[in-house]
Amino acid sequence: AQSVAQPEDQVNVAEGNPLTVKCTYSVSGNPYLFWYVQYPNRGLQFLLKYITGDNLVKGSYGFEAEFNKSQTSFHLKKPSALVSDSALYFCAVRDLTGGFKTIFGAGTRLFVKA
Amino acid sequence: EADIYQTPRYLVIGTGKKITLECSQTMGHDKMYWYQQDPGMELHLIHYSYGVNSTEKGDLSSESTVSRIRTEHFPLTLESARPSHTSQYLCASSESGGASGEQFFGPGTRLTVL
């Protein structure tokens, strides 16, 4: 069965510092991996995805994520955090052997202090 | 402009009332989903649809029902609302075929049952 783990409920970082939001996954086949962001009182917005190819994928708002097959991880990163990045971040995985359903992690709340 | 819409955005109703949450998308997507999310918490898939006249229950048991008579429309109905139904409901859609499957979310409906 496919699953996603976000080990941190909350990440705190100072503005201008690099940030990392962690995600590990478990699938039986090759994964499609996604990151979404949710701002207060809003739906989720797609940030980026890994399908195949280069392990480092770039997405919206300066975010990037690194796919590591041996560690089954897909951590979200940004070189310099902004206060406006404060939001709830969800990692998600889709395993084609399991149909088209996507499994979401529990979410990590990011706080960026000025 | 291609988008996904949900109405109402906020709804406060009394116990026992029948309600329908509307979701429409102009993205031409075949697949649609309903998620339940308590504020700031993880998402739970409650219903999904492969296409017209196709609906399936998700991972979280729900007393709600859905229909898919038109590709662009995926309403969710509660026959008799209860306080335990108080939550945020998110509608999403994604492409079919060989697409990677990132989902596009509506703004959500925040439901309060008194």
Side-chain angles (χ1 to χ4, degrees), chain A residues 32 34 36 38 41-44 46 49 51 88 90 94 100-106 109, chain B residues 9 31 33 35 37 40-43 45 48 50 59 99-103 105-107 110:
Chain A
Y32 285 2
F34 308 87
Y36 292 84
Q38 186 178 33
N41 301 313
R42 301 284 298 277
L44 275 70
F46 168 72
K49 66 183 177 185
I51 305 301
L88 187 57
F90 290 93
R94 180 183 171 213
F100 66 84
K101 283 198 301 181
T102 299
I103 303 299
F104 287 84
R109 188 166 298 280
Chain B
R9 290 293 311 277
K31 298 185 180 74
Y33 315 80
Y35 293 89
Q37 182 192 29
M41 304 295 285
E42 60 192 299
L43 280 75
L45 180 67
Y48 61 99
Y50 294 90
D59 303 318
S100 54
E102 62 264 34
Q103 296 182 20
F105 285 80
R110 190 175 295 279

Side-chain angles (χ1 to χ4, degrees), chain B residues 76-94:
Chain B
L76 180 144
T77 298
L78 277 166
E79 291 293 333
S80 179
R82 296 207 302 267
S84 61
H85 296 138
T86 294
S87 190
Q88 175 163 251
Y89 293 84
L90 296 173
C91 181
S93 68
S94 66

Side-chain angles (χ1 to χ4, degrees), chain B residues 13-70:
Chain B
I13 60 167
T15 297
K17 298 291 186 184
K18 177 181 178 179
I19 60 167
T20 296
L21 307 184
E22 300 289 348
C23 176
S24 294
Q25 50 98 0
T26 56
M27 311 186 80
H29 290 165
D30 285 333
K31 298 185 180 74
M32 296 189 74
Y33 315 80
W34 275 104
Y35 293 89
Q36 185 174 339
Q37 182 192 29
D38 290 332
M41 304 295 285
E42 60 192 299
L43 280 75
H44 297 284
L45 180 67
I46 51 175
H47 297 283
Y48 61 99
S49 169
Y50 294 90
V52 172
N53 294 325
S54 158
T55 61
E56 302 284 346
K57 287 189 179 296
D59 303 318
L60 180 68
S61 175
S62 174
E63 294 163 342
S64 58
T65 59
V66 292
S67 63
R68 190 88 182 277
I69 299 173
R70 303 197 317 264

Side-chain angles (χ1 to χ4, degrees), chain A residues 38-81:
Chain A
Q38 186 178 33
Y39 298 102
N41 301 313
R42 301 284 298 277
L44 275 70
Q45 296 179 34
F46 168 72
L47 268 182
L48 51 78
K49 66 183 177 185
Y50 171 82
I51 305 301
T52 187
D54 194 346
N55 289 342
L56 185 66
V57 293
K58 294 187 184 298
S60 306
Y61 312 121
F63 283 94
E64 56 190 28
E66 186 169 11
F67 171 64
N68 187 316
K69 188 173 183 178
S70 63
Q71 296 184 4
T72 62
S73 67
F74 189 56
H75 300 332
L76 181 70
K77 300 181 180 184
K78 187 172 183 180
S80 179

